[in-house]
Amino acid sequence: MPPAPTPPQAAAATAPAATTAPQAPGAGQSMEMLRLLSGFQQSQALYALAKLGVATALHGGPMTVGELAKTTETDAGALGRLLHILSGIGVVTHHGEDAFALTPLGSTLVADVPGSVRDMAIMWMETHYAPFSELVTTVRTGVPAATAHFGQSFAEWLGSHPEHLPVMASAMADLTYGPKDAALAGYRLPPGEVVADIGGADGSVLVRLLADEPGRRGIVFDREHVVSTAPARLAEQGVADRIEVQAGDFFESVPAADVYLLSTVLHDWDDASCARILGRIAEAAPHGARLVVVETVLSEGDEQHPSKLLDLTMLGMVPGHERRETEFAALFAGAGFTLDRRVPGPVDSPFAILEATLTR
Ligand SMILES: C[S@@+](CC[C@H](N)C(=O)[O-])C[C@H]1O[C@@H](n2cnc3c(N)ncnc32)[C@H](O)[C@@H]1O
């Protein structure tokens, strides 16, 4: 049996000081590195479970491999091997002779259940996986891997591949009702009658925040081809009478409002582009308008933190990046907004909320 891999924190704790020559790695470190390197295979294995409906089929209870293969129209031999492999990372467990059951971790790949990230799994593997083969180019040149892979920016590529938009919208909603929801739970927007969700996609975040605020009105603002998914979401949530949908380009102009919401928008863009988006908001907003930014705030030290993995996504896919609190404050100040406070997310959510006021 190979030695158990050393957890990364333990490895960091025993790492030699930076001034001394690195010691030869032990077998534990080699195994840990191999485990990390196998990430690309594990991602595809989890994607198969999500995409082929295996996790969803198991949601009803344990099933034999034969039954599962029939239900999901898959090859029983390959499926049985995949499930046995994934039992090793806690996604399923053996259940008797030839059957498997989902674990709570595996349940996150079930369709349409609270806490599901199934559509994230599908989106990542169908739009992000291939571009990441160009990350070496990014590190050499600074050009996002997606741009190198597609020959155009990810945003431009998406514009001509609308078939990916429904799953992208659902993936964003997965985040909204999962990790983002944990950060939004109990949060109340600053006062103001009209709340504009800029880059609001299908309106999931705005709906979440205005659901129990019947006295406020909302605007979901996004590109034409994206915001077209919003009316269905608003109708389904019973808020279509007080949240309107507007198509547009936030580099050109944004609607007038009292409170502006930017949820995971700024991290898609470099500082100059963020300055333009914030500038358009400052032009449309009355003095004293409030800005609410929902983003990951980049952690400072060596610790494992989801903000670092999100920054890896940004590095590969877009010109933007995750930011430290001081970087947000500087961006806001450049457009006339003063950072008022940071509402930290709970420990199990990478997201925080930053509130600012238009003071110029
Ligand atoms: C990462 S998504 C965030 C969606 C949503 N705010 C959320 O938190 O789930 C970024 C959004 O910005 C929108 N966007 C990108 N460029 C835009 C533009 N020029 N004008 C308006 N919206 C834009 C995208 O269509 C996308 O919906």
Side-chain angles (χ1 to χ4, degrees):
M1 226 177 93
T6 310
Q9 296 95 326
T14 56
T19 48
T20 60
Q23 292 163 4
Q29 270 89 35
S30 304
M31 284 304 297
E32 172 61 6
M33 185 50 72
L34 289 173
R35 190 186 69 74
L36 291 170
L37 288 167
S38 77
F40 75 104
Q41 302 171 77
Q42 291 190 35
S43 302
Q44 287 290 351
L46 296 168
Y47 168 63
L49 224 58
K51 176 82 176 177
L52 300 172
V54 178
T56 303
L58 280 174
H59 190 48
M63 288 172 83
T64 65
V65 172
E67 287 168 338
L68 253 184
K70 213 181 228 173
T71 307
T72 58
E73 298 179 357
T74 51
D75 179 83
L79 180 62
R81 284 174 63 192
L82 185 76
L83 290 167
H84 180 63
I85 292 161
L86 290 176
S87 73
I89 57 169
V91 175
V92 292
T93 54
H94 287 272
H95 189 86
E97 185 74 351
D98 185 37
F100 286 90
L102 269 189
T103 63
L105 179 63
S107 300
T108 61
L109 297 178
V110 173
D112 302 325
V113 295
S116 172
V117 290
R118 175 180 182 265
D119 291 320
M120 274 309 279
I122 294 174
M123 181 191 90
W124 266 349
M125 292 305 107
E126 296 186 355
T127 61
H128 290 40
Y129 183 82
F132 259 83
S133 64
E134 291 285 353
L135 197 65
V136 167
T137 306
T138 303
V139 180
R140 277 205 185 107
T141 64
V143 173
T147 306
H149 178 78
F150 294 125
Q152 58 188 333
S153 74
F154 182 50
E156 285 163 348
W157 178 82
L158 265 183
S160 53
H161 289 79
E163 69 275 15
H164 291 288
L165 292 176
V167 83
M168 285 201 79
S170 312
M172 290 301 138
D174 277 356
L175 279 186
T176 301
Y177 295 108
K180 227 181 255 179
D181 191 65
L184 299 177
Y187 174 72
R188 291 202 97 68
L189 287 163
E193 193 199 335
V194 180
V195 183
D197 187 1
I198 305 300
D202 70 349
S204 295
V205 175
L206 190 61
V207 169
R208 172 75 180 75
L209 288 170
L210 291 191
D212 62 350
E213 300 228 45
R216 301 215 217 198
R217 290 189 296 115
I219 303 167
V220 183
F221 180 88
D222 207 304
R223 305 309 305 263
E224 176 91 59
H225 59 276
V226 176
V227 86
S228 60
T229 56
R233 170 78 63 182
L234 301 179
E236 175 192 299
Q237 302 291 322
V239 289
D241 56 336
R242 59 193 177 90
I243 301 186
E244 64 176 283
V245 176
Q246 280 191 31
D249 178 351
F250 52 44
F251 291 114
E252 298 289 326
S253 65
V254 299
D258 306 302
V259 179
Y260 286 87
L261 180 62
L262 281 172
S263 169
T264 53
V265 168
L266 295 178
H267 74 165
D268 285 346
W269 301 98
D270 58 23
D271 288 359
S273 302
C274 289
R276 286 172 60 205
I277 298 168
L278 292 168
R280 294 299 86 80
I281 293 176
E283 281 163 15
H287 184 79
R290 307 298 299 276
L291 175 69
V292 175
V293 168
V294 181
E295 287 275 0
T296 286
V297 177
L298 199 57
S299 73
E300 298 283 346
D302 286 344
E303 66 281 3
Q304 278 189 11
H305 193 271
S307 62
K308 293 180 177 174
L309 289 181
L310 268 176
D311 200 34
L312 183 55
T313 306
M314 298 302 127
L315 183 66
M317 299 304 292
V318 293
H321 56 97
E322 302 305 326
R323 292 181 170 86
R324 293 171 176 78
E325 189 173 323
T326 48
E327 294 175 286
F328 280 112
L331 268 187
F332 296 168
F337 288 92
T338 304
L339 177 63
D340 300 317
R341 66 170 186 143
R342 168 180 171 180
V343 184
V347 277
D348 53 352
S349 170
F351 296 103
I353 299 169
L354 300 167
E355 290 180 355
T357 303
L358 184 61
T359 48
R360 196 170 63 202

